[in-house]
């Protein structure tokens, strides 16, 4: 087959790639295609950009969102829920198998529709006002998504606010990025890419924040309007700094937290590595002493304030520390009987090596990248740990992204 061919070519999809594209022999990449489907179209540079489905898969469904064809926010709305769940579990299974690991894979927990509590909207000024939404697939064109079924209703209703922010503060040529988080006290909004602040813009933005009842409005690094933008971690109120890491859905957070609790059952002195604002550390302090370690000082301060204002928690100590450059060493780790670790996508190779050397009895490992997760687990297994179980967690419904929570225990 000629990769630059423009005549119609018929191919059979063999598997899905990591971006959700169907892949046929060649390889030929086919967006929005599913394994087993026969598709036809012109091949350009190894891609059939506009495929015609000749033989559809029994797993093909009508996309539940009317924006699915244009919006780049979701990649897998054309596939059944059962297919997506099975595919994501297989992604984890293959990553473990590549490292020679086998374990119990628990049923996947998928967050419901309209549950994403944070969204990064894009907005541009237009001749008539502004346009806000998500990017078109493989494009920087903004697509309006007035009834997105992925985000919470409060976020879906925030598009007029995002457009108003663009009218006030976007340049005619630039794009505004607006991170909106759903809080109990109102929307928490962090804007980047806008005009420099001056007296008039500050006043206009403050008035807009008041009109829309915002919990907080941050313009680049300056907070213009603020009342406590609380997030509740198992009933413990914390005010994260603007744009701080937050689990994508409340349901997903609860599932991860339950998994962490199960993995560390019986532990009384815990260390939480990459602790963020205390998603796991603070609830764990209901039953154990906790030392929380996080690289971002602002998140550590938020965690500490949340602990000090809560009732009934055991002692929580903390430190701001770059765990990539300066991981906790075995002599620091040996006083703990359990570890929580939830690193970024790159994993935590250096820190995992120190945990393995310290031989901490129990580990709750949370990860957003099955490949680096499996790599790090292989290091621990080689050092004498058993990978007891892994639970897939899908907070990013209809996307190619999947997370895990798992339990490891040191073997005598």
């Amino acid at each position: 087959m000629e990769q630059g061919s423009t005549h119609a070519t018929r191919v059979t999809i063999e598997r899905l790639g990591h971006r959700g594209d169907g892949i046929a022999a060649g390889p030929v990449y086919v967006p929005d295609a599913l394994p087993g489907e026969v598709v036809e179209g012109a091949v350009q540079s190894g891609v059939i950009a506009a495929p015609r489905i000749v033989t559809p898969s029994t797993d093909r469904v009508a996309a539940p969102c009317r924006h699915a064809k244009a919006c780049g926010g979701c990649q897998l709305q054309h596939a059944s829920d059962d297919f997506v769940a099975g595919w994501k579990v297989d992604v984890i299974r293959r990553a473990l198998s590549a490292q020679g690991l086998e374990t119990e894979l628990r049923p996947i927990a998928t967050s419901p529709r309209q549950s994403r509590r944070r969204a990064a909207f894009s907005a541009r000024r237009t001749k008539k006002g502004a346009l806000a939404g998500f990017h078109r697939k493989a494009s920087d064109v903004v697509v309006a998504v007035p009834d997105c079924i992925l985000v919470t209703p409060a976020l879906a209703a925030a598009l007029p606010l995002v457009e108003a922010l663009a009218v006030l503060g976007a340049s005619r040529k630039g794009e505004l990025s607006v991170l909106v988080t759903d809080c109990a006290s109102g929307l928490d909004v962090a804007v980047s890419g806008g005009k420099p602040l001056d007296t008039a813009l500050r006043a206009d933005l403050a008035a807009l924040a008041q009109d829309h009842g915002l919990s907080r409005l941050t313009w680049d690094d300056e907070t213009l309007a603020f009342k406590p933008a609380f997030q509740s971690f198992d009933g413990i109120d914390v005010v994260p700094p603007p744009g701080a890491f937050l689990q994508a859905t409340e349901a997903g957070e609860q599932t991860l937290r339950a998994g962490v609790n199960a993995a560390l059952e019986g532990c009384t002195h815990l260390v939480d590595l990459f602790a963020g604002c205390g998603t796991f550390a603070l609830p764990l302090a209901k039953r154990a002493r906790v030392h929380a370690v996080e690289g971002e000082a602002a998140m550590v301060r938020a965690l500490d304030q949340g602990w000090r204002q809560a009732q009934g928690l055991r002692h929580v100590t903390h430190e701001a520390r770059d765990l990539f450059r300066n991981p906790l060493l075995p002599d620091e780790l040996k006083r703990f009987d359990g570890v929580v670790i939830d690193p970024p996508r790159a994993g935590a190779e250096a820190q995992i090596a120190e945990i393995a050397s310290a031989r901490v009895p129990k580990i709750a490992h949370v990860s957003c990248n099955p490949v680096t997760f499996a790599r790090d687990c292989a290091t621990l297994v080689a050092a004498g740990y058993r990978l007891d179980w892994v639970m897939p967690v899908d907070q990013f419904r209809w996307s190619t992204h999947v997370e895990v929570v798992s339990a490891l225990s040191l073997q005598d």
Side-chain angles (χ1 to χ4, degrees):
M1 181 186 303
E2 295 294 331
Q3 295 296 294
S5 171
T6 57
H7 65 276
T9 302
R10 183 170 291 192
V11 299
T12 300
I13 304 303
E14 297 176 349
R15 67 187 192 280
L16 286 194
H18 69 279
R19 295 182 178 178
D21 286 352
I23 303 177
V28 175
Y29 296 89
V30 186
D32 301 331
L34 296 175
E37 291 188 327
V38 178
V39 304
E40 190 175 77
V43 180
Q44 289 282 355
S45 301
V47 178
I48 300 179
R52 183 177 72 86
I53 308 297
V54 178
T55 306
S57 166
T58 55
D59 291 308
R60 178 169 289 277
V61 298
C65 177
R66 68 183 179 93
H67 305 298
K69 288 187 176 180
C71 175
C74 298
Q75 296 86 45
L76 294 170
Q77 286 204 8
H78 58 289
S80 70
D81 288 346
D82 286 346
F83 172 84
V84 174
W87 179 72
K88 292 191 177 189
V89 172
D90 282 342
V91 166
I92 297 166
R93 183 181 290 110
R94 289 195 301 270
L96 292 171
S97 179
Q99 296 290 344
L101 300 176
E102 291 186 3
T103 190
E104 174 195 351
L105 274 175
R106 295 185 170 180
I108 190 168
T110 302
S111 294
R113 301 182 184 194
Q114 295 183 300
S115 65
R116 282 281 296 277
R117 58 184 174 187
R118 170 173 284 178
F121 294 112
S122 298
R124 290 184 178 273
R125 285 177 59 190
T126 65
K127 291 181 179 180
K128 295 182 179 180
L131 175 65
F134 296 128
H135 285 142
R136 185 181 295 275
K137 293 180 179 180
S139 169
D140 61 358
V141 174
V142 177
V143 177
V145 286
D147 48 6
C148 173
I149 62 172
L150 184 66
V151 300
T152 65
L155 291 191
L159 284 174
L161 162 68
V162 177
E163 291 176 350
L165 288 167
V167 169
L168 287 177
S171 66
R172 287 304 297 266
K173 295 184 178 180
E175 181 178 289
L176 210 61
S177 179
V178 183
L179 183 65
V180 186
T181 305
D182 196 347
C183 300
S185 52
L187 297 179
D188 182 10
V189 180
V191 182
S192 59
K195 297 176 182 177
L197 284 169
D198 57 24
T199 302
L201 182 55
R202 278 190 183 89
D204 289 342
L205 291 172
L208 184 69
Q210 185 173 10
D211 290 344
H212 285 265
L214 300 187
S215 180
R216 179 168 56 187
L217 174 60
T218 305
W219 195 267
D220 288 325
D221 295 325
E222 185 172 337
T223 298
L224 303 173
F226 176 78
K227 56 184 178 181
F230 287 114
Q231 293 292 336
S232 179
F233 300 149
D234 198 24
I236 303 164
D237 287 340
V238 176
V239 181
F245 174 79
L246 186 70
Q247 296 294 341
T249 70
E250 186 175 351
E253 180 185 293
Q254 291 173 353
T255 299
L256 293 173
R257 187 159 46 238
V260 166
N261 271 309
L264 300 176
E265 186 176 358
C267 296
T268 60
H269 196 190
L270 302 169
V271 60
D272 184 359
L273 304 173
F274 304 95
C277 296
T279 303
F280 303 124
L282 295 177
L284 285 169
K286 293 179 179 181
R287 64 174 179 85
R289 290 179 295 155
V290 181
H291 182 60
V293 187
E294 164 58 44
E296 296 292 332
M299 287 198 277
V300 173
R301 289 192 294 270
L303 183 156
D304 181 59
Q305 186 175 19
W307 172 67
R308 292 180 184 279
Q309 293 179 349
Q311 300 293 320
L313 301 187
R314 298 192 181 185
H315 196 56
V316 176
T317 55
H318 55 79
E319 61 180 301
R321 180 165 170 172
D322 185 339
L323 292 172
F324 293 106
R325 297 182 179 181
N326 187 22
L328 267 68
L329 300 176
D331 62 340
E332 299 173 279
L333 289 164
K334 285 181 178 178
R335 61 193 175 104
F336 303 108
D337 57 0
V339 175
V340 187
I341 186 164
D342 182 12
R345 290 191 61 80
E349 203 164 9
Q351 183 62 81
I352 287 288
E354 303 298 346
I355 294 171
S357 179
R359 298 177 66 79
V360 181
K362 290 187 177 183
I363 302 169
H365 194 339
V366 179
S367 175
C368 59
N369 184 341
V371 173
T372 57
F373 165 75
R375 178 203 68 196
D376 290 347
C377 283
T379 298
L380 293 166
V381 169
Y385 285 85
R386 181 180 65 201
L387 181 57
D388 296 315
W389 50 263
V390 174
M391 182 176 185
V393 180
D394 186 6
Q395 296 192 78
F396 295 86
R397 193 181 182 119
W398 299 309
S399 81
T400 57
H401 190 63
V402 66
E403 296 169 303
V404 298
V405 58
S406 66
L408 296 103
S409 57
L410 186 64
Q411 302 303 291
D412 295 333

